[in-house]
Amino acid sequence: RYKTIGSISKSLLTGTVLSFDIGRTSQKKDGDAFSLTAQTSSNQYTLDSWGVSIEQSLWGNSFGKSDYLKVRSADNLYKAQTILRSDDLQNVVLDGLRQYWNSYVAQENLKEAINSRDRYSKLVSSIQKKNSMGYTAPGELNQVLAEFESREQSVKNTSQDFLKQSENLITFLNLETNSELNFEIPKSLPVLPEFKKMDPKQTRLIQSQELKVTIAQDQLEEVSSRNRPNLNLVGKLSATGLDETSTDSFNELSRGKNPKAYVGIKFSHSFGSDVHEAEYLNKKAALDLEKAKLQRLLKEFEDKQIQAYRKSQVTLQLVDSIKKQKEYRERAMTELNRSYQQGRTDIRSLIDAMNNYFSMEVSYSRAVGDYFIAINEYI
């Protein structure tokens, strides 16, 4: 006996399954051991058949509700991930801005370290001349030489940090190795805009989380629909052809000599399934979790918005304050240097004034970078 069967089916989102099948059975028999029907006594026969069937869900995936929810969940998941990808790209841009300002601050620190070393170099030369003529107090020259060595160390450390930050920025921007960096810094700081409360639902993170809540709701409904008893409307139209030769059998089939048709109802249900109940509870817990995350993100957004604006305000105030402090330190250093040259000030006071001024230079560069980063995070 040789049997060949082919079938194809198509599922629709309406809960409809369309099927088409075709088959051929060829049999040879020895003696009277096998007999298909009383009408055929030949030792050989061929049975051809075809059938078209339709099955429609009426209850349990009612008219494709479960399938539709599953497809919509997948589509919303894709949208949620796409939204988060855009949010990740924005975070990458912010990371690039931070790295840019870190590199700029490292460059300014290196410049200030070199300026500081040069100032101490001049001071060392001046005191060495005074020391050769016996006009210095005991320990003055050694104190200045020690501070000069400290400035040398600062130049080496800031140089290493600048190279590190520059290499990180070049790698981040995917530039060629050893590319030259030119920092374009605005001459004046941008004005801090007025605080404007944003709608959290316009942000990507909240939109993505809202989609996740919708996904969880759809999955809960999909499980609930799928776990109901299955009641399907089924119908089939078929025909057969039977003869000793395949040609005659196929002719009978094509003429529709033996048609058959039926319409009926199919009911099935799994009674007492703990798996269905557990699956439903799991999806319900997932929905509650996503709703809780959404509420938390909404509250966190309001806090972060206020905190980002407050940070911008504070960093701007720090820039103004440090700028004034730097000016005061510079005046103090100039006055103490003049006083020391006149022999009215101890060398320690001058050293402290110089160190304080250089520290303010570094703090000012850092404060400017922090303000630009803060205002970009707020906007």
Side-chain angles (χ1 to χ4, degrees), residues 12-16 56-69 221-222 224-233:
L12 306 178
L13 287 181
T14 56
T16 307
Q56 175 64 53
S57 298
L58 302 177
W59 192 27
N61 189 29
S62 176
F63 293 95
K65 180 180 180 180
S66 179
D67 295 337
Y68 171 74
L69 291 173
E221 293 182 22
E222 186 264 328
S224 178
S225 176
R226 180 160 43 86
N227 290 343
R228 294 191 185 102
N230 294 319
L231 181 65
N232 298 340
L233 175 67

Side-chain angles (χ1 to χ4, degrees), residues 40-178:
T40 177
S41 59
S42 173
N43 291 338
Q44 177 176 326
Y45 72 88
T46 300
L47 175 65
D48 288 329
S49 64
W50 65 264
V52 177
S53 63
I54 182 172
E55 185 170 344
Q56 175 64 53
S57 298
L58 302 177
W59 192 27
N61 189 29
S62 176
F63 293 95
K65 180 180 180 180
S66 179
D67 295 337
Y68 171 74
L69 291 173
K70 189 179 296 184
V71 172
R72 190 171 71 173
S73 295
D75 184 55
N76 285 335
L77 179 60
Y78 175 77
K79 291 179 180 178
Q81 296 300 328
T82 302
I83 292 174
L84 287 181
R85 180 178 180 275
S86 300
D87 204 50
D88 290 340
L89 290 176
Q90 184 180 31
N91 292 332
V92 169
V93 174
L94 287 175
D95 290 339
L97 289 172
R98 295 187 186 99
Q99 186 58 53
Y100 178 88
W101 286 107
N102 287 337
S103 301
Y104 166 75
V105 171
Q107 175 187 264
E108 295 302 303
N109 289 346
L110 176 58
K111 290 180 180 179
E112 294 305 324
I114 294 174
N115 292 335
S116 174
R117 183 189 62 182
D118 294 342
R119 284 177 181 269
Y120 269 104
S121 178
K122 293 178 181 180
L123 183 61
V124 167
S125 299
S126 175
I127 293 180
Q128 282 177 337
K129 291 180 181 179
K130 293 176 63 176
N131 185 64
S132 63
M133 293 183 290
Y135 293 153
T136 59
E140 279 191 1
L141 179 59
N142 290 325
Q143 289 186 65
V144 176
L145 288 173
E147 289 296 332
F148 177 74
E149 291 299 327
S150 176
R151 296 303 107 184
E152 285 281 8
Q153 296 171 20
S154 178
V155 169
K156 290 181 174 59
N157 289 331
T158 53
S159 176
Q160 185 271 337
D161 184 58
F162 172 64
L163 291 175
K164 173 185 174 183
Q165 297 296 342
S166 299
E167 289 169 352
N168 290 342
L169 180 59
I170 289 172
T171 301
F172 183 88
L173 297 176
N174 197 25
L175 300 176
E176 294 183 2
T177 307
N178 299 326

Side-chain angles (χ1 to χ4, degrees), residues 260-272:
K260 295 180 181 179
Y262 72 85
V263 176
I265 295 294
K266 183 171 69 174
F267 177 83
S268 63
H269 181 56
S270 299
F271 294 95

Side-chain angles (χ1 to χ4, degrees), residues 228-360:
R228 294 191 185 102
N230 294 319
L231 181 65
N232 298 340
L233 175 67
V234 295
K236 185 172 183 178
L237 173 64
S238 63
T240 59
L242 176 64
D243 213 302
E244 295 178 357
T245 64
S246 58
T247 302
D248 294 337
S249 175
F250 182 76
N251 289 334
E252 285 189 12
L253 178 68
S254 59
R255 292 196 306 268
K257 184 178 180 181
N258 303 306
K260 295 180 181 179
Y262 72 85
V263 176
I265 295 294
K266 183 171 69 174
F267 177 83
S268 63
H269 181 56
S270 299
F271 294 95
S273 176
D274 295 334
V275 175
H276 291 170
E277 183 179 357
E279 189 176 11
Y280 176 83
L281 294 176
N282 180 47
K283 296 300 182 182
K284 186 176 184 301
L287 174 59
D288 294 338
L289 179 61
E290 296 299 336
K291 287 182 177 179
K293 286 182 179 179
L294 178 60
Q295 294 300 318
R296 178 175 58 82
L297 288 175
L298 289 171
K299 294 180 179 179
E300 286 182 351
F301 175 79
E302 295 179 359
D303 294 340
K304 289 180 179 179
Q305 188 179 10
I306 295 174
Q307 292 167 5
Y309 188 77
R310 188 185 300 126
K311 181 180 178 181
S312 301
Q313 287 180 314
V314 172
T315 51
L316 179 59
Q317 294 169 1
L318 286 175
V319 170
D320 294 335
S321 178
I322 293 174
K323 184 179 180 180
K324 294 177 181 178
Q325 191 177 3
K326 185 183 71 166
E327 294 173 353
Y328 297 145
R329 294 291 186 188
E330 185 177 14
R331 294 174 188 173
M333 181 183 67
T334 302
E335 293 173 359
L336 286 171
N337 184 46
R338 186 183 307 113
S339 177
Y340 172 75
Q341 297 297 334
Q342 296 172 356
R344 296 183 294 109
T345 301
D346 181 75
I347 189 63
R348 188 69 255 173
S349 299
L350 177 59
I351 290 174
D352 290 342
M354 293 175 67
N355 291 342
N356 290 334
Y357 171 72
F358 298 139
S359 177
M360 284 300 100

Side-chain angles (χ1 to χ4, degrees), residues 169-213:
L169 180 59
I170 289 172
T171 301
F172 183 88
L173 297 176
N174 197 25
L175 300 176
E176 294 183 2
T177 307
N178 299 326
S179 296
E180 184 179 356
L181 296 176
N182 295 315
F183 296 94
E184 295 290 337
I185 307 301
K187 295 181 179 180
S188 59
L189 297 178
V191 179
L192 180 64
E194 294 183 1
F195 178 78
K196 184 179 179 181
K197 193 172 183 180
M198 296 176 59
D199 183 6
K201 294 186 177 181
Q202 299 298 320
T203 61
R204 298 186 184 94
L205 186 61
I206 301 300
Q207 291 174 353
S208 176
Q209 187 59 36
E210 287 179 334
L211 284 174
K212 290 181 180 179
V213 172

